[in-house]
Amino acid sequence: MLHRDYLVRMFSQLAAAIRETILRSRNNEDPETLADLLEDSLSNATEIDGSLLLQLAPESMAAMLQFSGTDPRLVAHVARVLLLEARYLDEAGHTTRAELRRSQAQSLSDSFDLGLDESCLDEKALEEFFESHQAEM
C-alpha cells in the first residue's frame, strides 16, 4: 500500500509539472523557467538525488534507475519530463543541455522498453498516457 501511495504521489507530481509547463508555455512564459520547473519536479520524483541524476550520462542514468528498482511506470513519466525539458531548452537556446536531456530520455526509453519519441509529447498522447496511469492506480 505504501509503495502504491508513493507511486501515485510521484505520478501526480510529474503530471502536474508537465501540465503546468504546457499551460504556461501557451502564455509565452520563458522556456528556461519552464525547463527549471521540470528539473525541480524531477528532483522530487525518484529516490535518487535529482541534481545528481540529471548530471549523469544517458546510459548511467538508465543503469542507476534500473539498479535502484525504480518502477518502470515512473520511469516513463521521467522520460517524458526529460523530453519536454529538452524542447524548452531548445527554445531557450541551450542546445547542448537539450541534447543531453533528449539522450537521457532515449536511454531510459531503450533500457525500460518504453518506445518513446517526441510524438509522446503531443497533447493527445500526454492525456492518454495520464488517463491510462490513473486507471492503473
Side-chain angles (χ1 to χ4, degrees):
M1 183 68 168
L2 286 175
H3 181 69
R4 182 179 173 277
D5 291 345
Y6 168 78
L7 286 175
V8 169
R9 185 170 52 87
M10 294 301 102
F11 292 155
S12 297
Q13 285 178 343
L14 290 174
I18 289 170
R19 283 188 173 117
E20 181 179 348
T21 62
I22 289 172
L23 291 173
R24 289 167 68 172
S25 73
R26 290 179 186 155
N27 293 326
N28 298 317
E29 184 147 346
D30 175 42
E32 189 168 5
T33 300
L34 300 175
D36 290 344
L37 190 143
L38 289 174
E39 277 196 16
D40 290 344
S41 73
L42 283 175
S43 294
N44 299 318
T46 64
E47 296 171 343
I48 302 166
D49 177 7
S51 61
L52 170 68
L53 188 66
L54 291 169
Q55 292 178 25
L56 294 173
E59 297 78 19
S60 298
M61 176 186 274
M64 179 81 73
L65 291 175
Q66 285 178 321
F67 179 73
S68 70
T70 303
D71 189 291
R73 295 171 296 179
L74 182 57
V75 174
H77 275 66
V78 170
R80 281 172 173 77
V81 167
L82 291 168
L83 284 172
L84 188 56
E85 182 186 355
R87 180 183 291 172
Y88 295 139
L89 289 169
D90 276 334
E91 290 173 14
H94 300 292
T95 55
T96 302
R97 204 164 112 215
E99 193 51 45
L100 173 61
R101 294 294 179 260
R102 201 170 281 107
S103 295
Q104 289 168 327
Q106 188 60 54
S107 183
L108 292 178
S109 180
D110 294 346
S111 297
F112 285 82
D113 198 27
L114 302 173
L116 297 179
D117 60 23
E118 295 282 332
S119 68
C120 75
L121 295 179
D122 73 42
E123 286 188 47
K124 183 178 178 185
L126 282 172
E127 285 305 316
E128 289 173 0
F129 175 71
F130 294 141
E131 287 174 16
S132 72
H133 279 281
Q134 287 292 340
E136 290 176 11
M137 295 296 137

